[in-house]
Amino acid sequence: MRVALFLTCVNDTLYPDTGRAVVKLLTRLGVEVDFPMAQTCCGQAHYNTGYRHETEPMARHFSDVFGEYEAIVTPSGSCGAMVRELYPRLGERARAEGRGDGLATALAPVVPKTYELTEFLVDVLGVTDVGACYPHKVTYHPTCHGLRGLGLGDRPRRLLQAVKGLELVELPGAEECCGFGGTFSLKNADVSAAMGADKVRNAESTGAEVLCAADNSCLMHIGGTMARLSTEMRPVHIAEILASTEEEPAA
Amino acid sequence: MSGTFVGMPAFPKAAHEAVNNPTLRGNLRHATHTIRAKREKAVAEVSDWAELREAGKRIKDHTLRHLDDYLVQLEESVTAAGGIVHWAADADEANRIVTELVKATGESEVVKVKSMATQEIGLNEALEAAGIHAYETDLAELIVQLGKDRPSHILVPAIHRNRGEIRDIFAKEMSEWGRPAPEGLTDTPAELAEAARLHLREKFLRAKVGVSGANFMVAETGTLVVVESEGNGRMCLTLPETLISVVGIEKIVPTWRDLEVFLQTLPRSSTAERMNPYTSTWTGTTDGDGPKTFHLVLLDNGRTDTLADEVGRQALRCIRCSACLNVCPVYERAGGHAYGSVYPGPIGAILSPQLRGTASEIDASLPYASSLCGACYEVCPVAIDIPEVLVHLRERVVQGGEVTREGNKVVLKPAKGHAAERAAMRAARWAFARPGAVRAGQRLASRTRRLHPRRLPLPGPGKAWSETRDLPPVPAEPFRDWWQRTQGGAK
């Protein structure tokens, strides 16, 4: 099976390790991975801040870049939800505003074949034990768009539970938002910071070494807060845990 | 009492105070988490919750689609049952109608059932200006009124107060309004409730005019419905000689049968009860029983304008249960007052800017008072997609566009203060259409990475980030460069 990796602009620029982990993991599972170099950004920050018209060409670019692939895999619940949940709305709105079916038609083929990483592993590849080894105590934060937008459910937890040596501990208030919310973290910095601090305190109470999530943007906010609060914990993307093996352990 | 919210600062500024008030945050956290957990349990007990939610949504959508017909039917039914219907286009008109109705009775006091509609229009202040005292009889509303405060929650207006604060308010203020609080009042709930009962009983037995809202109005029979927990509503609805109900036009349901759905979803979503203690229904007037005169004031106040908006109109499905407030992480930290409206929380963030427009600073900031986490949509018993409406209203704020105001189509200009953001968004979109530009930017960031501050104050919008969070280090090599170096850039 040959899939396109949609790494997202945040991962590409700030978290290349996550991309390398996805390539390593999928290759190990027998999947041929391609990274279309023309990919950029899904446009979520634009859309969610109110710039729908700026988002439309970005969505079209996405469909141009990824349209021909069998499946598109992304290590981000948030960007995955943008494509799956909100791209159809972009098409509908363009149609409702009398701008024709063009956008809806262009987006229709890419929407159903875009998968968040854990979804792809469990639903498409049908695996929960990916042969990983990660001897650490881990707590999992289900990020909002993965949880409620894509409905990832317990897929990430099932994958983590199958990791050799990994001790998974429940995060109190797991389903509460960490407070990132894209431009929300800048526009409502006080509330965002308070939410982040509460998330970190809850995570600390578990005694875990690692807080794991499937979105680097949320991890950037949580990790930045951890550093400021001098917490011992580290934020780690789930892809890096699932890619880790006894022979090549992740840090 | 200051019941109006005119001239409120934007949400982030108003929230700043709340976030930094540990007592308030503690009170809110405790209260919202308690109700949240109870609601979840009460909802889980019902096997057909998803169907009830869908049914509620459909009934409301159907009613809103044919609102003109149902309003006419309602007016006919109410009139046939001996009631008198008044139409109010806005808050001023509604306040004028009610004031004149009370004056015509010759009374200078009214008792009130807790009502969002009368708070929305600032009725108590309007009555006060005309020399009429309006007494709130719901316990939490009483606390708010005595404390010269503003409500901060739809269902629990005094959620921001703890028991100690309530005791102090009762001990200090009750004597100013009527029967004083008993000597040596403590902060035990039973004592506080008894003090309120004694204080209020005096008012119930004396008042000749009652003012209420309604949770529902049944078009087929002209029946109004109030759902409550304390019995004060029942007293206000039955004891006075004149009853004046002020109700938003969206509160109609077509038939009694439709109530079946909402009388299940409302109590479970709001107070986490299987059924609320008091459900009062009244239809016009009946000789020898209850009020002799019944007036219904049907309030528009921005509702038909909201109805004209295809995306935003779903906010009118709201049954004011406040489940969205109790689950919202932003409300939990910012408190209800920061929303600058009688409708706080997620529903307030989409309802207020639609009812009032987005011209003021506070109304333009409300659509941004959310991290779009989606918890509000998940719990809403009538499935209002609050995040969708928030984003839609953000678009209205930054891009402007056509909206309906007072029945006329007007074209809004983009709100001020977003020029730099708009330019940045446009520039980013331009760059993201050009992978080469993205790559050049990434390389520049990588090469200058040793110069990047992680903790120093950043300029512009980055300042807000750097005050409480470190930035991640920029990696030496972005992924796409690694990919091309190692995989040869297959495509």
Side-chain angles (χ1 to χ4, degrees):
Chain A
M1 188 174 197
R2 188 160 174 266
V3 304
L5 169 62
F6 166 45
L7 189 57
T8 86
C9 55
V10 169
N11 291 329
D12 180 10
T13 309
L14 293 172
Y15 300 97
D17 287 349
T18 299
R20 288 201 280 268
V22 177
V23 174
K24 182 179 160 189
L25 169 66
L26 291 180
T27 308
R28 190 171 81 217
L29 295 170
V31 178
E32 198 185 327
V33 182
D34 191 13
F35 178 81
M37 290 291 277
Q39 66 177 278
T40 53
C41 167
C42 66
Q44 184 181 196
H46 289 73
Y47 182 86
N48 281 351
T49 313
Y51 297 88
R52 176 165 57 93
H53 289 287
E54 302 288 353
T55 316
E56 288 180 9
M58 298 167 79
R60 206 177 257 277
H61 181 74
F62 184 94
S63 77
D64 290 343
V65 173
F66 290 102
E68 285 172 15
Y69 287 90
E70 206 179 334
I72 304 148
V73 179
T74 183
S76 164
S78 189
C79 305
M82 176 68 201
V83 175
R84 282 247 301 277
E85 200 188 10
L86 302 177
Y87 274 13
R89 285 188 193 168
L90 285 175
E92 279 162 33
R93 291 296 293 170
R95 191 184 284 152
E97 287 170 8
R99 289 183 286 123
D101 286 341
L103 188 61
T105 310
L107 294 174
V110 291
V111 170
K113 58 186 184 185
T114 300
Y115 299 92
E116 185 275 335
L117 175 67
T118 65
E119 216 178 24
F120 180 76
L121 294 172
V122 175
D123 297 356
V124 181
L125 298 186
V127 288
T128 46
D129 185 348
V130 295
C133 173
Y134 193 77
H136 299 283
K137 194 169 173 182
V138 174
T139 192
Y140 174 72
H141 167 59
T143 60
C144 300
H145 292 167
L147 181 72
R148 299 186 193 91
L150 291 176
L152 294 182
D154 65 352
R155 291 179 185 84
R157 280 193 184 83
R158 277 159 59 201
L159 287 160
L160 289 171
Q161 270 157 354
V163 173
K164 202 174 153 192
L166 187 147
E167 186 193 345
L168 186 64
V169 284
E170 270 308 303
L171 175 64
E175 297 190 353
E176 288 168 30
C177 176
C178 71
F180 174 60
T183 50
F184 173 78
S185 63
L186 301 175
K187 286 179 182 283
N188 281 286
D190 287 318
V191 178
S192 167
M195 288 162 71
D198 287 349
K199 179 61 73 182
V200 169
R201 277 185 210 111
N202 279 339
E204 265 185 320
S205 76
T206 65
E209 303 156 59
V210 164
L211 178 133
C212 157
D215 266 294
N216 274 330
S217 41
C218 309
L219 286 172
M220 175 172 74
H221 164 74
I222 297 171
T225 308
M226 282 177 171
R228 195 58 62 96
L229 296 175
S230 304
T231 309
E232 293 291 307
M233 269 180 123
R234 292 175 294 132
V236 176
H237 193 284
I238 191 169
E240 293 168 44
I241 293 178
L242 298 178
S244 175
T245 55
E246 266 172 283
E247 298 76 34
E248 287 180 81
Chain B
M1 187 183 79
S2 163
T4 56
F5 294 87
V6 178
M8 277 284 294
F11 182 84
K13 206 172 164 197
H16 177 80
E17 244 174 82
V19 169
N20 292 299
N21 179 341
T23 311
L24 176 64
R25 265 183 77 182
N27 293 350
L28 281 172
R29 182 173 174 78
H30 176 72
T32 54
H33 280 249
T34 308
I35 314 177
R36 193 186 297 183
K38 280 169 69 182
R39 187 211 72 96
E40 212 175 310
K41 234 167 142 181
V43 164
E45 281 181 355
V46 187
S47 60
D48 60 347
W49 187 257
E51 286 86 353
L52 283 169
R53 186 178 189 242
E54 182 62 23
K57 174 188 170 182
R58 283 181 187 216
I59 292 167
K60 282 282 181 179
D61 279 351
H62 166 86
T63 314
L64 290 169
R65 198 156 50 240
H66 305 285
L67 191 61
D68 47 352
D69 294 335
Y70 286 119
L71 279 166
V72 170
Q73 191 191 1
L74 178 80
E75 181 178 33
E76 286 168 2
S77 321
V78 171
T79 309
I84 303 154
V85 176
H86 310 260
W87 298 82
D90 56 24
D92 287 344
E93 195 175 3
N95 285 332
R96 200 164 51 238
I97 292 167
V98 178
T99 308
E100 280 165 16
L101 290 173
V102 179
K103 276 187 173 167
T105 65
E107 294 295 317
S108 60
E109 283 183 351
V110 301
V111 283
K112 284 189 71 207
V113 188
K114 174 177 159 27
S115 143
M116 297 308 294
T118 59
Q119 273 174 12
E120 177 187 322
I121 61 175
L123 178 64
N124 289 8
E125 293 74 14
L127 290 174
E128 200 67 48
I132 300 160
H133 302 292
Y135 297 118
E136 294 291 348
T137 64
D138 170 86
L139 178 57
E141 288 289 354
L142 174 71
I143 295 163
V144 168
Q145 188 172 41
L146 294 178
K148 298 175 183 66
D149 197 356
R150 287 188 298 230
S152 69
H153 188 281
I154 291 175
L155 202 81
V156 198
I159 195 169
H160 56 292
R161 299 289 199 185
N162 61 32
R163 284 193 273 147
E165 291 174 303
I166 294 165
R167 191 216 77 93
D168 295 345
I169 291 170
F170 279 9
K172 187 161 167 270
E173 302 291 340
M174 269 184 173
S175 59
E176 298 286 317
W177 291 76
R179 181 173 172 144
E183 286 285 316
L185 179 69
T186 74
D187 69 353
T188 59
E191 275 193 44
L192 294 174
E194 185 59 16
R197 270 168 62 93
L198 294 169
H199 180 82
L200 289 171
R201 183 123 322 198
E202 190 189 49
K203 298 200 159 42
F204 291 135
L205 296 175
R206 200 172 62 212
K208 298 279 187 287
V209 183
V211 172
S212 84
N215 292 96
F216 306 99
M217 303 186 284
V218 184
E220 66 175 350
T221 54
T223 303
L224 273 71
V225 184
V226 156
V227 171
E228 46 128 2
S229 300
E230 297 168 17
N232 64 300
R234 177 81 48 96
M235 304 279 262
C236 292
L237 295 166
T238 50
L239 289 173
E241 289 168 7
T242 302
L243 174 60
I244 305 166
S245 301
V246 184
V247 190
I249 53 173
E250 82 284 17
K251 295 259 169 165
I252 297 188
V253 294
T255 67
W256 271 81
R257 206 191 146 113
D258 300 313
L259 286 176
E260 176 253 349
V261 173
F262 301 109
L263 293 182
Q264 292 185 73
T265 52
L266 179 55
R268 285 183 196 263
S269 302
S270 54
T271 48
E273 291 167 302
R274 292 172 180 153
M275 191 180 171
N276 50 286
Y278 295 88
T279 301
S280 302
T281 68
W282 64 102
T283 312
T285 55
T286 307
D287 286 338
D289 186 18
K292 293 188 184 69
T293 316
F294 167 58
H295 296 276
L296 170 60
V297 182
L298 288 169
L299 177 71
D300 187 317
N301 207 31
R303 285 159 174 77
T304 49
D305 290 343
T306 304
L307 194 55
D309 188 292
E310 278 176 41
V311 179
R313 66 171 61 136
Q314 57 185 307
L316 296 176
R317 279 187 219 141
C318 177
I319 56 172
R320 312 281 189 261
C321 71
S322 70
C324 64
L325 277 65
N326 299 328
V327 80
C328 178
V330 176
Y331 175 87
E332 183 190 322
R333 273 94 187 174
H337 291 148
Y339 292 81
S341 155
V342 297
Y343 303 108
I347 187 64
I350 62 167
L351 199 53
S352 305
Q354 293 202 84
L355 295 179
R356 304 191 299 208
T358 47
S360 74
E361 210 186 336
I362 179 76
D363 287 321
S365 72
L366 286 177
Y368 292 95
S370 167
S371 65
L372 303 179
C373 82
C376 50
Y377 177 33
E378 195 174 54
V379 297
C380 178
V382 283
I384 302 169
D385 191 340
I386 295 175
E388 182 188 21
V389 182
L390 286 167
V391 169
H392 173 68
L393 294 173
R394 290 176 184 190
E395 199 180 323
R396 180 174 298 173
V397 171
V398 298
Q399 310 264 45
E402 196 176 73
V403 294
T404 306
R405 294 314 296 169
E406 290 167 16
N408 302 309
K409 294 264 182 217
V410 291
V411 177
L412 287 184
K413 283 188 194 150
K416 286 179 189 155
H418 288 81
E421 179 187 276
R422 197 174 304 117
M425 286 290 179
R426 195 164 298 159
R429 191 263 293 157
W430 182 90
F432 282 133
R434 292 162 182 77
V438 173
R439 202 164 177 191
Q442 285 175 333
R443 286 192 171 152
L444 180 68
S446 291
R447 282 181 196 145
T448 56
R449 57 200 274 266
R450 291 186 206 292
L451 307 172
H452 298 176
R454 292 191 67 196
R455 210 164 262 201
L456 293 172
L458 291 168
K463 184 174 178 291
W465 179 278
S466 58
E467 269 169 2
T468 55
R469 290 154 287 204
D470 283 0
L471 283 168
V474 174
E477 184 182 48
F479 178 86
R480 66 181 64 219
D481 284 1
W482 172 82
W483 176 266
Q484 198 168 41
R485 186 164 57 76
T486 58
Q487 317 280 328
K491 187 162 177 172

